[in-house]
Amino acid sequence: MVRRSYGIGSALFALAMVLGAGNAFAQANVMKACGAEWQAAKEAKKVKQGETWNSFLAECRKRHADDDAAVPPEPKAAAKPAAAPATAAKPAAAPATAAKPAANAPGEKQLTPGQLAARERIKKCGAEWTAAKEAGKIKAGQKWPQYWSDCNKRLKAAGQ
């Protein structure tokens, strides 16, 4: 009796693994497609400033999920030619939708004006830090946190 229950349990486990493997392959294909779109967008300089791989990947997965949901009702022969032109146009369109200023993932709160200003100050101070570091103008022993503190105070005083 015990052997039989182990046998049934093993069979159910194996079935669950086989059914779940299809989803893993689909995720891998989406990851490859999104990676190719990201590389194409970077090479074409279509990636907007501030856009990250993670935000691009989230949007890309969402688009591919929408594509996958629309494909099953259509016959497979008709789906192939229709999908090819749409895929070619996606890399150019993807950065425009994902690069809205302060665009957050769906369901996240919008950034406040103070948070947006802080992000801009961080970017400006970071650019100044790298330029000063390359030029050798950083004070001896000064690290990024000290530089950031001074730079942030300076930019806040200037009204930025």
Side-chain angles (χ1 to χ4, degrees):
M1 183 71 166
V2 173
R3 283 185 176 210
R4 183 176 178 174
S5 64
Y6 282 127
I8 292 172
S10 297
L12 289 174
F13 179 74
L15 179 64
M17 292 302 292
V18 169
L19 292 176
N23 188 23
F25 291 126
Q27 288 177 357
N29 289 337
V30 168
M31 190 74 159
K32 283 183 182 179
C34 291
E37 289 179 24
W38 173 254
Q39 290 301 325
K42 278 184 14 181
E43 289 173 4
K45 300 188 189 251
K46 299 287 184 179
V47 176
K48 300 293 182 183
Q49 183 178 3
E51 183 176 19
T52 63
W53 160 247
N54 290 333
S55 63
F56 182 85
L57 181 60
E59 290 293 322
C60 185
R61 283 182 174 164
K62 184 177 176 184
R63 282 193 321 274
H64 282 280
D66 293 342
D67 292 346
D68 292 343
V71 171
E74 299 175 2
K76 289 185 179 179
K80 296 284 184 178
T87 312
K90 282 183 185 174
T97 59
K100 292 178 185 174
N104 293 339
E108 288 186 20
K109 292 181 181 179
Q110 292 293 328
L111 296 175
T112 64
Q115 291 170 328
L116 292 172
R119 285 189 177 186
E120 288 301 314
R121 288 193 306 272
I122 290 171
K123 288 178 185 177
K124 287 181 183 177
C125 289
E128 289 178 17
W129 166 260
T130 54
K133 192 172 181 182
E134 289 173 358
K137 296 181 180 179
I138 301 294
K139 297 175 191 172
Q142 188 176 33
K143 303 289 183 197
W144 166 249
Q146 293 86 22
Y147 187 88
W148 158 244
S149 178
D150 296 340
C151 181
N152 189 40
K153 289 175 189 172
R154 181 174 38 84
L155 290 177
K156 276 185 176 182
Q160 293 181 2

